[in-house]
Amino acid sequence: MVSSRRTAAPAQAASALRRRGPVLERAILEAALDQLSTVGWNGLTMEGVAAGAQTGKAAVYRRWPSKEDLVVDALQAGLPALDSAPECGSVREDLLELCRRLRAAMYSRPGYALRSVLHECDTLTAERFHGVITEGVIEPSVELIKEVVRRGVERGEVRPDVDEASVCDVIPALMMYRSKVCGSEWEEGDLVEMIDHVMVPLLRLQAH
């Protein structure tokens, strides 16, 4: 009788041959996001990621020499793209819908993973991920807010002298602050309040 160990070996070898290059790398990055979402930054190990990707630890270390390198790439590959501004007919509705999309990104699996990293890492380690959150979340969201505001100026809803550099930072700053520092889940009412009581007054045309 052939042992189960002997019969399993060829199947495992065939699986390893099939999963190479980009396919294997994608599996490793997905496994890293899974680990971050379940056990957090402190619980993530290269061994655990390898097991989740059904590959050997050496395959992980060949591509990513450190846990930080792996997580940076996993977050960059997984964060949802923020590449189009909503067009709902008014600045208020556009900003509200954009906030919903930002919230969805923050509470997606990669977004949750990123927040776990920022919450658990020490200051020096967290600096490695500054570029990820800036380039993947903050800068795209600010650019989309600017687009919404400019359309509002063209429609006569927004005062033409609005200071884009500061006003367009308000939404991501508040959302990141309340998420990281206050642990806010940003319910729908929170988003509406931010738009109606902060953003609309900042953008509104001045009464003569």
Side-chain angles (χ1 to χ4, degrees):
M1 182 180 292
V2 179
S3 70
S4 60
R5 181 177 298 177
R6 290 180 180 177
T7 57
Q12 291 173 349
S15 176
L17 287 173
R18 286 195 299 269
R19 297 172 70 246
R20 287 183 172 178
V23 175
L24 179 57
E25 289 178 3
R26 181 72 253 174
I28 294 171
L29 294 174
E30 289 286 340
L33 289 178
D34 284 338
Q35 285 259 304
L36 283 169
S37 299
T38 54
V39 300
W41 168 261
N42 291 329
L44 182 144
T45 64
M46 300 294 260
E47 293 81 1
V49 171
Q54 297 182 329
T55 189
K57 184 171 65 174
V60 179
Y61 276 110
R62 270 199 306 273
R63 293 163 173 80
W64 296 278
S66 72
K67 173 175 164 176
E68 290 84 356
D69 294 326
L70 171 60
V71 171
V72 165
D73 280 359
L75 292 171
Q76 288 176 329
L79 282 170
L82 297 169
D83 53 10
S84 63
E87 296 191 54
C88 303
S90 71
V91 167
R92 178 190 182 275
E93 294 303 321
D94 287 349
L95 289 177
L96 186 55
E97 176 58 27
L98 182 53
C99 284
R100 294 186 185 113
R101 296 182 188 180
L102 292 173
R103 178 182 60 188
M106 290 170 65
Y107 290 94
S108 65
R109 185 180 60 156
Y112 182 86
L114 177 56
R115 287 187 296 119
S116 77
V117 168
L118 296 176
H119 282 221
E120 296 178 41
C121 286
D122 57 51
T123 302
L124 290 177
T125 305
E127 287 179 359
R128 282 289 309 275
F129 301 98
H130 178 75
V132 177
I133 192 168
T134 299
E135 296 170 14
V137 179
I138 295 175
E139 288 180 352
S141 65
V142 168
E143 287 306 308
L144 295 181
I145 295 166
K146 286 180 179 179
E147 183 178 339
V148 168
V149 169
R150 288 166 187 162
R151 287 203 310 250
V153 171
E154 292 170 1
R155 289 196 300 256
E157 293 181 78
V158 174
R159 56 191 177 89
D161 63 339
V162 67
D163 182 0
E164 284 186 2
S166 56
V167 169
C168 294
D169 283 340
V170 171
I171 289 175
L174 278 175
M175 293 188 76
M176 290 302 300
Y177 169 76
R178 286 184 58 179
S179 175
K180 178 174 171 56
V181 179
C182 307
S184 170
E185 293 297 315
W186 282 104
E187 302 293 340
E188 180 71 10
D190 298 321
L191 298 178
V192 170
E193 182 178 357
M194 176 172 60
I195 297 304
D196 286 346
H197 297 287
V198 178
M199 292 304 297
V200 169
L202 283 173
L203 298 171
R204 183 182 295 138
L205 289 165
Q206 302 297 316
H208 295 289

